[in-house]
Amino acid sequence: MSDFKTSYSNLFIYYKLAQSGKTTIIEDSIHKDEDKMLEEVFYEAEEILDILDLTVDSYKTIYANIIITANNLLLTNQTYQRLSEFMNGEIFEMSSKKCSFTHIVSNIALKNKDGLPICRNVICCSNKVQFNNISTLIAMYLSNKIKVNIYCDEIDKYWTQIKCIIEKYADAIFYGLTATINKKMFDDQGGSMLFIHQDICHGPDYVGYRDHEIVPIKKQNNIECIDEIITEITDEITDEMDKNTNILIIPGRTNEEHRDIAYTCLLLGTLPIIINQHGIIMYKNKSKRGSIDLKKIYQNKELCDVLKNLRKDYNITVPIVVIGSSVCAGRGITHQSEQFLYDYGIILQNPTNKIEIYQTVSRLAHNFKYLNKKCKVYITEANDKIARECEDKIYKINEMSGSKPEITYNEFEKAGKERHKYLVKEFETQEDANKYCIGIGSNINSRGPINRKPNNEGYYEATIRKITKIWTRAEIDSNIFIGSSNNKYWLYPCYHNVEDKSTLRWLVIHK
């Protein structure tokens, strides 16, 4: 299997919007396999439970799951905490902080009271040693007639390492989860790849890049730019509620630059927190004892849990500024929660890598739209264009994979490249959408669009490409370029979930 000329038949890609619930996909997939296993084995539960010495052969199918995260212990622990709760603790974290490879191997050999291997679920990060260990674990499971599912988060980043394992174990099933894909993934599979179509790209409360207020800037990584923007932000803070403002800054990668930005933030009356390889450092002042490593204080806590507890635990009454590179504070790391959402983002890194840019701006994405909290994003024009194209590509590829799962690189590269010329605004009511349309341009009738009426079932329909039906938000997102080119705007009713009328939203799309 060393020379693949077509896409790998045992690899399937979940191409997801960042922060839109990749962990949930893993949970749902594992849950389905566990239900299938129980259906096969326990339909005669009383007889089986009477047997004390169950073996692997007692089961028709046994599943094992290996979850691979990015090479970041903070992210590995974040994913472990989420899956451990879902799996009632029946998962092993293979890392220097938790379980060794030897410990994992011994627990695969041992059986629990139901005759199953004690260790069937393993999570680990992506590094050279762990990939060697993963290969050995897959071989062990397969030799014991156990079906193996491997979930590789951020698969594009670790493609070189994981592809060798995919080729080696044709009987194992690999799922790649990512919001960004590189050309080499296509090249190594003969120019095409298998994608899993998703009925819903995201939930009704998802807030992506296009939902933010974007403020294009021309300056890039320098202290003067940060000083200017932070001063502008602090000038906007007028009351006690605004003092709970949260700001994210992603500059360059050097620790020295981050420290200079932190000192600037202190002078401007804000509280800086730097995320880097040394920890999560909160600066109260510039003295040697003026910093606290929050990672040591909040051990085994996700970053989002650390941030949401800070104000209460340390009685913070000034704006919080989180500073970090795209490496340590970016890809895969969840910052936000109901209790901690960013009000401002300052994205200044150089656009040397499209994948890195989209992963960075996606730290501002979340699933709390119902809180009605807007985020203003200061970003260079080049980075803004990249972020829009990357987000649009995900919607388009998902639409295409519904009818043709195997996508070529040429198709992938073209997808989403034009849509960045358009703005997409979502409204909860038809009235608000109509008001917005009135203000778009002088060519629009001053009375706004004509009010739509629901069909006999109470649903609102739209006509797109001469097809009149009830549309989902995901479908609308994938069909931006429709209607007459003379139109100045399009207004569509759609549903995040067509089974739930309360998810009705109104989309206004315009140049």
Side-chain angles (χ1 to χ4, degrees):
M1 297 184 65
S2 60
D3 184 19
F4 278 72
K5 294 185 178 179
T6 58
S7 58
Y8 296 167
S9 60
N10 60 335
L11 170 65
F12 304 90
I13 300 297
Y14 282 103
Y15 191 33
K16 290 280 292 179
L17 292 163
Q19 299 294 304
S20 65
K22 288 185 287 185
T23 306
T24 302
I25 286 178
I26 298 174
E27 291 177 355
D28 290 345
S29 181
I30 292 175
H31 184 69
K32 288 177 182 177
D33 286 341
E34 291 295 303
D35 281 351
K36 189 187 302 182
M37 199 167 82
L38 290 173
E39 287 175 6
E40 292 177 347
V41 177
F42 292 106
Y43 69 98
E44 294 179 350
E46 291 183 1
E47 178 184 346
I48 292 177
L49 291 175
D50 286 337
I51 302 173
L52 298 179
D53 188 22
L54 291 175
T55 66
V56 172
D57 293 333
S58 303
Y59 298 85
K60 292 183 179 179
T61 309
I62 298 176
Y63 293 93
N65 303 287
I66 300 174
I67 299 98
I68 309 170
T69 70
N71 190 20
N72 182 316
L73 283 177
L74 184 64
L75 179 56
T76 302
N77 183 254
Q78 169 183 294
T79 311
Y80 170 78
Q81 294 295 337
R82 295 179 182 179
L83 291 176
S84 182
E85 183 177 349
F86 163 72
M87 295 177 175
N88 298 317
E90 295 181 358
I91 184 169
F92 291 71
E93 180 184 329
M94 186 168 61
S95 70
S96 57
K97 301 292 184 182
K98 293 285 181 67
C99 301
S100 67
F101 171 65
T102 303
H103 182 73
I104 298 289
V105 169
S106 64
N107 278 278
I108 292 176
L110 295 174
K111 303 295 188 295
N112 63 17
K113 61 183 178 62
D114 296 323
L116 297 170
I118 289 178
C119 178
R120 288 191 298 118
N121 302 298
V122 179
I123 184 169
C124 64
C125 64
S126 307
N127 60 47
K128 184 176 180 180
V129 172
Q130 294 292 37
F131 276 114
N132 290 334
N133 292 338
I134 289 165
S135 181
T136 302
L137 292 181
I138 294 172
M140 287 185 65
Y141 284 127
L142 292 176
S143 67
N144 283 283
K145 300 179 181 179
I146 297 174
K147 290 191 174 182
V148 192
N149 295 321
I150 298 91
Y151 300 89
C152 188
D153 196 11
E154 315 294 359
I155 190 171
D156 59 297
K157 189 174 183 179
Y158 305 98
W159 175 249
T160 301
Q161 296 92 328
I162 194 66
K163 82 181 190 72
C164 301
I165 301 176
I166 295 171
E167 293 174 357
K168 186 175 181 179
Y169 299 104
D171 292 333
I173 301 298
F174 294 80
Y175 297 98
L177 300 96
T178 186
T180 44
I181 289 173
N182 58 49
K183 185 175 184 293
K184 184 167 175 52
M185 294 177 67
F186 284 95
D187 290 343
D188 288 341
Q189 299 183 71
S192 63
M193 191 156 49
L194 294 172
F195 288 80
I196 295 179
H197 176 73
Q198 303 151 75
D199 292 333
I200 302 174
C201 282
H202 56 73
D205 289 307
Y206 180 74
V207 174
Y209 180 73
R210 283 181 172 275
D211 297 308
H212 303 314
E213 179 184 348
I214 307 301
V215 182
I217 56 176
K218 294 186 180 299
K219 296 180 180 179
Q220 291 191 358
N221 302 340
N222 56 68
I223 299 301
E224 290 79 10
C225 183
I226 296 290
D227 193 340
E228 181 183 323
I229 295 174
I230 293 292
T231 300
E232 178 182 324
I233 291 172
T234 52
D235 287 345
E236 292 179 1
I237 300 174
T238 56
D239 56 35
E240 290 299 317
M241 183 65 72
D242 287 340
K243 288 182 179 179
N244 290 327
T245 296
N246 302 314
I247 304 166
L248 173 66
I249 301 178
I250 304 290
R253 291 188 176 185
T254 68
N255 290 337
E256 182 180 0
E257 181 184 14
H258 298 173
R259 197 160 47 246
D260 289 343
I261 292 171
Y263 291 160
T264 299
C265 290
L266 282 171
L267 292 173
L268 293 171
T270 64
L271 183 79
I273 298 169
I274 294 178
I275 303 173
N276 59 24
Q277 71 270 32
H278 301 302
I280 305 172
I281 314 299
M282 180 172 69
Y283 286 81
K284 301 180 76 173
N285 55 62
K286 293 175 65 173
S287 69
K288 289 184 178 180
R289 295 186 177 182
S291 63
I292 300 171
D293 188 351
L294 298 173
K295 195 172 181 180
K296 293 180 179 178
I297 303 297
Y298 298 93
Q299 293 186 20
N300 298 322
K301 292 291 185 182
E302 295 183 35
L303 177 62
C304 59
D305 291 327
V306 173
L307 294 175
K308 78 180 183 183
N309 288 308
L310 275 182
R311 291 195 181 277
K312 178 184 68 176
D313 293 350
Y314 288 90
N315 193 29
I316 298 170
T317 58
V318 298
I320 291 176
V321 181
V322 178
I323 306 160
S325 71
S326 58
V327 176
C328 297
R331 188 178 186 121
I333 302 296
T334 300
H335 292 223
Q336 302 184 99
S337 62
E338 277 189 305
Q339 296 80 18
F340 185 97
L341 290 176
Y342 287 117
D343 302 276
Y344 299 90
I346 305 174
I347 313 298
L348 299 173
Q349 69 188 93
N350 292 320
T352 55
N353 186 319
K354 289 185 178 182
I355 288 175
E356 199 171 279
I357 297 298
Y358 177 64
Q359 291 284 356
T360 297
V361 300
S362 295
R363 297 319 99 199
L364 299 169
H366 59 77
N367 292 279
F368 308 106
K369 181 177 285 187
Y370 54 85
L371 295 177
N372 294 316
K373 194 170 185 180
K374 295 289 185 180
C375 181
K376 182 183 287 188
V377 183
Y378 296 83
I379 186 169
T380 61
E381 293 178 353
N383 286 350
D384 174 59
K385 179 182 178 182
I386 291 169
R388 290 176 185 275
E389 285 185 358
C390 288
E391 192 171 76
D392 297 342
K393 187 182 292 289
I394 294 172
Y395 285 115
K396 187 61 180 178
I397 292 298
N398 186 60
E399 177 208 6
M400 294 167 61
S401 65
S403 57
K404 190 172 80 72
E406 190 163 3
I407 307 292
T408 67
Y409 178 72
N410 286 338
E411 293 170 330
F412 178 84
E413 185 62 15
K414 292 177 183 178
K417 283 237 172 172
E418 296 298 325
R419 188 185 147 189
H420 70 275
K421 297 178 182 177
Y422 293 78
L423 293 176
V424 181
K425 295 290 184 180
E426 180 182 289
F427 299 90
E428 292 191 1
T429 68
Q430 184 173 190
E431 181 183 7
D432 288 342
N434 288 351
K435 287 179 181 178
Y436 182 82
C437 288
I438 293 173
I440 289 175
S442 58
N443 291 336
I444 297 177
N445 189 307
S446 61
R447 292 173 297 179
I450 298 173
N451 277 334
R452 309 280 185 92
K453 293 183 179 180
N455 63 18
N456 293 335
E457 285 74 40
Y459 283 94
Y460 285 86
E461 298 177 337
T463 301
I464 299 174
R465 290 177 178 169
K466 298 182 180 180
I467 300 174
T468 301
K469 69 165 197 163
I470 302 164
W471 293 81
T472 67
R473 168 69 196 257
E475 290 172 325
I476 299 288
D477 282 325
S478 300
N479 286 276
I480 274 297
F481 304 107
I482 48 184
S484 169
S485 60
N486 294 322
N487 286 2
K488 300 300 179 182
Y489 74 97
W490 293 268
L491 172 61
Y492 299 124
C494 61
Y495 297 81
H496 283 284
N497 181 358
V498 293
E499 302 297 326
D500 183 357
K501 291 180 182 177
S502 69
T503 65
L504 169 67
R505 297 293 185 271
W506 297 84
L507 290 191
V508 177
I509 303 165
H510 66 94
K511 296 180 179 179

